[in-house]
Amino acid sequence: MFVTAVDNGPMAESLMESGQVTHKPEDAFTFQPAKNLDWMVCDIVDKPARVTDLMIRWLVNGWCRETVFNLKLPMKQRYTEVRSCLAMIETALEEAGFKYRMAAKHLYHDREEITCHIRIL
Ligand SMILES: C[S@@+](CC[C@H](N)C(=O)[O-])C[C@H]1O[C@@H](n2cnc3c(N)ncnc32)[C@H](O)[C@@H]1O
């Protein structure tokens, strides 16, 4: 697998030595891929609403067809916030005419985030 890592922080040297990773030291919230991709994986620590907007932009523009991303849980109103983010994604995909599968789980090993998977059908 060949990966483009959009990260404004440094990459581990051992990872770069694999030759399979291209590092783009840019802001993921403004980055646009040069061509449409299969997968986009996002693990940015930021407000869930901001990550939600990012995911909607990628999916609605067809920049990826499948994604795994984390919604980092806020301090308060956690359930309400996540429900609202997922509803925004559902509305955006439906308005854009996409058929999709979406799943969201509170995984055992990280209690501070909700892990989401979306596949465009
Ligand atoms: C939680 S860590 C990801 C860890 C990674 N999943 C791993 O297993 O090594 C979040 C990463 O997002 C990067 N990051 C945070 N805000 C960013 C932004 N606006 N644009 C690009 N990268 C960002 C950080 O530099 C950091 O490497």
Side-chain angles (χ1 to χ4, degrees), residues 34-110:
K35 60 178 177 121
N36 293 349
L37 306 169
D38 294 325
W39 278 86
M40 194 271 229
V41 176
C42 177
D43 187 28
I44 294 176
V45 182
D46 208 308
K47 291 193 180 109
R50 204 161 177 234
V51 172
T52 296
D53 284 346
L54 177 69
M55 297 319 309
I56 289 172
R57 194 158 69 251
W58 274 73
L59 290 164
V60 166
N61 284 310
W63 296 348
C64 67
R65 59 175 184 78
E66 194 149 1
T67 176
V68 171
F69 58 97
N70 286 322
L71 295 176
K72 307 291 175 179
L73 290 168
M75 297 296 281
K76 295 181 185 165
Q77 301 278 319
R78 294 178 147 203
Y79 184 75
T80 309
E81 180 66 18
V82 169
R83 278 298 340 153
S84 151
C85 289
L86 297 179
M88 275 193 274
I89 294 170
E90 285 168 339
T91 302
L93 290 177
E94 277 153 31
E95 282 178 0
F98 286 105
K99 298 229 174 308
Y100 62 93
R101 291 261 165 77
M102 180 161 87
K105 293 228 181 256
H106 197 189
L107 296 176
Y108 178 80
H109 286 288
D110 197 334

Side-chain angles (χ1 to χ4, degrees), residues 6-11 26-29 43-46 50 72:
V6 182
D7 197 314
N8 53 18
M11 296 285 103
E26 296 178 36
D27 181 2
F29 290 101
D43 187 28
I44 294 176
V45 182
D46 208 308
R50 204 161 177 234
K72 307 291 175 179

